[in-house]
Amino acid sequence: MSLLIALTLATAAATDAADHHDEAPTSEPRWSIVIHGGAGTILRENMSAEKDAEIRAALDAALRAGEAVLRDGGSSMDAVTAAITLLEDDPNFNAGRGAVFTWEGTNSLDASIMRGDTLEAGAVAGLSTTRHPILAARAVMEDSPHVLLSGEGADTFATQKGLEQVDPAYFYTQERHDALIRYKAHVEAQEQLSQLDIDHKFGTVGAVALDVHGVISAGTSTGGMTGKRWGRIGDSPIIGAGTYANDRCGISATGTGEKFIRLSVAHAICTMDVSATPPAEELAKRGTTLIIPLAPHQQLQRAADHLIARVGELDGSGGVIGLSSTGAPIYSFDTPGMYRGHSTSQGWRAVAIYKDEE
């Protein structure tokens, strides 16, 4: 068998075995949604059966909220906010109610959102009274000339736009407050610790959706890092770092924010030129010019894996979720677990926690 024939047969086999997510729908327009609730040291042996079920139920509820919007022909922007607002209200995640505490014992909330077809974006940082930061980020995008608002001004803007305000005590949970006390004790003992050492996970939440009109939107919401000081802002409200969307893909990230900012992770994934074609000289040596292209979701997966590896090279950690233009979901993370889930119009649906789950 010649090399060319062998490569041709291999290509055909690879095509037949391609991920089902890239198959074209037979009737209804395509939609898709993927969500996350943070990544980290999430191990089966450390998770009670009750907590496992609770987390899965929360992820399932967020998926159902997004599905309902997309199934009815709604926008990807509405689907993203529907999913994230539910996660912001769930104290199992580090966003909204259940957010981690700053060094001063307050909650400081960040969020961002972006629409892929127009590249419109909005973000907020340092909120303390707005119940749903993701809705404030969307309001910045749709009802202001700006992209990013911060602090008291961002809460004032949200108030003026009619978004629900709450007493800061609404965000309080004992578990998160205890984590702050532990963190401060270690710092005062001059022990070097990261957020992951204290919380065992980055609890940031996010969603990416593709609607039947072909528009991709992405959003991310977080409480930041336990014990953060001096008005620290991570990657979640930074367009291009923690959130990005264009007509090719959408990305939401969770992890060591400073590293994600330095690498512009979300933007880099969506704009990276990933090719499966060997150099021309290598093809010449093989005696063939056969090109085996990657499907869109395969390109996106390769780019995501590359960027997460780069984060690791900078001594960071975390993960991303994303959608390709075909609606195929991808995940990439370097931690033992990541709260995640996806659903598509083709009937593919899953909720997962641990690394070894499909």
Side-chain angles (χ1 to χ4, degrees):
M1 181 184 294
S2 71
L3 178 61
L4 179 58
I5 293 174
L7 284 172
T8 302
L9 291 175
T11 303
T15 300
D16 290 340
D19 192 319
H20 52 249
H21 291 303
D22 263 3
E23 296 175 0
T26 56
S27 56
E28 64 180 20
R30 175 174 295 190
W31 57 259
S32 184
I33 184 169
V34 58
I35 64 172
H36 75 83
T41 310
I42 306 169
L43 302 170
R44 281 188 175 87
E45 55 265 34
N46 297 333
M47 183 87 71
S48 69
E50 293 76 15
K51 180 59 70 172
D52 182 294
E54 191 176 313
I55 295 292
R56 291 178 191 274
L59 294 171
D60 180 72
L63 274 182
R64 284 191 280 107
E67 287 169 342
V69 172
L70 296 170
R71 191 179 296 111
D72 290 343
S75 71
S76 56
M77 186 66 57
D78 286 345
V80 164
T81 53
I84 292 180
T85 52
L86 281 187
L87 296 174
E88 287 177 333
D89 281 341
D90 193 310
N92 283 301
F93 307 103
N94 175 21
R97 183 167 177 258
V100 300
F101 283 84
T102 68
W103 184 266
E104 294 78 18
T106 61
N107 301 110
S108 182
L109 312 173
D110 309 331
S112 63
I113 199 164
M114 188 168 186
R115 176 172 170 152
D117 60 336
T118 63
L119 300 183
E120 293 175 284
V124 289
L127 296 178
S128 61
T129 62
T130 301
R131 177 176 176 177
H132 291 124
I134 194 64
L135 297 183
R138 181 172 179 175
V140 172
M141 182 188 81
E142 296 177 338
D143 298 325
S144 88
H146 309 299
V147 171
L148 174 60
L149 299 181
S150 66
E152 183 180 347
D155 278 320
T156 298
F157 170 81
T159 301
Q160 292 177 353
K161 295 303 174 181
L163 298 182
E164 183 179 358
Q165 300 297 297
V166 295
D167 186 288
Y170 168 80
F171 302 111
Y172 177 95
T173 62
Q174 190 64 50
E175 179 183 358
R176 298 297 193 183
H177 193 262
D178 290 345
L180 174 65
I181 294 172
R182 292 197 306 273
Y183 178 75
K184 295 180 79 168
H186 284 293
V187 170
E188 289 165 2
Q190 297 185 331
E191 297 174 1
Q192 292 284 5
L193 284 178
S194 69
Q195 181 198 23
L196 201 56
D197 294 319
I198 291 294
D199 292 326
H200 307 295
K201 65 184 177 66
F202 305 103
T204 296
V205 305
V208 184
L210 169 73
D211 61 34
V212 297
H213 309 291
V215 177
I216 300 174
S217 296
T220 310
S221 182
T222 189
M225 296 175 65
T226 296
K228 61 182 179 180
R229 305 172 76 174
W230 310 298
R232 179 263 185 189
I233 296 172
D235 64 303
S236 295
I238 305 300
I239 299 299
T243 301
Y244 192 77
N246 59 18
D247 57 2
R248 176 183 176 185
C249 86
I251 294 290
S252 175
T254 176
T256 313
E258 284 71 14
K259 316 303 181 182
F260 280 72
I261 292 172
R262 287 165 61 183
L263 292 170
S264 300
V265 166
H267 177 268
I269 292 172
C270 279
T271 57
M272 181 174 289
D273 181 14
V274 179
S275 174
T277 307
E281 57 270 23
E282 179 64 25
L283 287 172
K285 290 179 182 177
R286 297 180 185 178
T288 180
T289 56
L290 182 64
I291 295 175
I292 304 174
L294 289 175
H297 81 281
Q298 294 171 319
Q299 296 178 34
L300 184 61
Q301 185 68 62
R302 178 173 289 192
D305 290 343
H306 174 74
L307 265 297
I308 292 302
R310 290 290 311 280
V311 169
E313 290 168 2
L314 294 179
D315 295 324
S317 183
V320 297
I321 60 168
L323 288 179
S324 72
S325 58
T326 66
I330 64 102
Y331 310 96
S332 185
F333 53 100
D334 61 4
T335 55
M338 183 179 188
Y339 299 141
R340 61 200 188 275
H342 68 263
S343 178
T344 76
S345 54
Q346 296 157 287
W348 301 105
R349 194 178 196 280
V351 167
I353 296 177
Y354 312 108
K355 186 83 168 181
D356 58 1
E357 292 185 89
E358 291 296 330

